[in-house]
Amino acid sequence: MRYLRSRFRQQPYEVAVLGMAPVCGLLMVLLDVRPASVQTSMPTPLQVAWEIGLITAGVCGLLGLSWPGRLSTGLGMELAAILVLGTITGMYAVALVALWSQQSLVASSFIVAVTVGSLWRAWQLAVDLRRLVRACECVSYEELQGSAP
């Protein structure tokens, strides 16, 4: 029987972004520093939620990628984390555009790319989960029990 390997090697860019998200969130919380665009365009409770979302999305996404148990659980955790990350980076892009300048144009174009990439990856994960459900429907419980070592 073949075992599923960690998906860390298959998604290096996702791992890098998810790995830096909690670092950025923790630095903002610990140093009490936020980008000027975020301070100007978001109320304080939303700023705190944004920071906590960065931390949560990163940790949850990395856990999902390395989940040792059921594949569906790991994919579900990764999907939730990527959706949160896409939402949070979208919020940041809107905050940057709200303070429109040439500098914000450069930063927002990159952040929008992260948002689009996150939502694209979320769509891929949803498709993978749907395929996994269909594959599991084709195999009966008795067949699974018979294949156990």
Side-chain angles (χ1 to χ4, degrees), residues 1 15 35 40 96 102 120:
M1 178 180 217
V15 171
T40 304
L96 284 167
Q102 288 181 344
W120 188 346

Side-chain angles (χ1 to χ4, degrees), residues 103-125:
Q103 290 175 342
S104 71
L105 175 65
V106 173
S108 63
S109 64
F110 185 77
I111 297 300
V112 167
V114 174
T115 302
V116 170
S118 296
L119 298 177
W120 188 346
R121 179 69 182 138
W123 176 78
Q124 288 176 335
L125 288 165

Side-chain angles (χ1 to χ4, degrees), residues 2-22:
R2 249 179 72 184
Y3 292 98
L4 297 170
R5 292 191 230 162
S6 170
R7 294 184 322 272
F8 265 97
R9 288 181 268 163
Q10 297 172 353
Q11 304 294 338
Y13 294 106
E14 181 181 353
V15 171
V17 171
L18 289 172
M20 282 311 296

Side-chain angles (χ1 to χ4, degrees), residues 35-71:
S37 57
V38 169
Q39 288 179 332
T40 304
S41 61
M42 291 183 196
T44 304
L46 197 55
Q47 292 175 28
V48 172
W50 183 66
E51 294 164 354
I52 292 170
L54 276 172
I55 297 166
T56 305
V59 171
C60 183
L62 292 174
L63 281 174
L65 279 167
S66 61
W67 193 254
R70 296 179 69 172
L71 178 62

